[in-house]
Amino acid sequence: MTTFIDWTDCWVDMAYRVLTERTGLSPRAAQVELSKAIAKQLHSGGTLVAQAPTGTGKTLGYLVGVLAFHALRRAQHLPMKPVLVSTATKALQQQLF
């Protein structure tokens, strides 16, 4: 039986393949790892603390993770859950809009 964890890995990998094809940018390994960890933690509940240096791609990493979580919930006909994204600076907040 395929689990949420298996589907999460597949969905995140696919999302980064599409992003690479459309933008020509290559995802960083840490970025993909972060996306998967976020989606899995949202599914299981609890808290995830993740830290990465500047330039790792954290913003895209956590947004892809949230999208994976919601896409997989939708595929299972489960209700959506609100997700709060908090940034350290106004400048980063503006970049997200």
Side-chain angles (χ1 to χ4, degrees):
M1 182 172 93
T2 305
T3 66
F4 185 90
I5 303 305
D6 297 328
W7 282 114
T8 299
D9 289 344
C10 290
W11 198 96
V12 169
D13 290 339
M14 179 203 58
Y16 279 108
R17 270 194 306 277
V18 169
L19 285 168
T20 299
E21 289 170 7
R22 293 190 179 182
T23 66
L25 300 174
S26 297
R28 299 164 185 92
Q31 191 176 39
V32 175
E33 223 177 287
L34 177 63
S35 295
K36 291 177 181 181
I38 287 170
K40 292 171 186 176
Q41 192 63 40
L42 286 169
H43 174 69
S44 64
T47 303
L48 172 70
V49 177
Q51 183 176 346
T54 301
T56 302
K58 295 180 291 292
T59 302
L60 184 60
Y62 63 70
L63 292 176
V64 169
V66 169
L67 288 172
F69 169 69
H70 278 121
L72 294 167
R73 284 187 65 82
R74 184 177 203 110
Q76 297 173 338
H77 305 290
L78 297 171
M80 297 295 105
K81 289 186 173 182
V83 174
L84 174 67
V85 175
S86 177
T87 63
T89 66
K90 275 274 205 209
L92 183 54
Q93 184 180 10
Q94 293 302 317
Q95 288 176 9
L96 296 176
F97 291 104

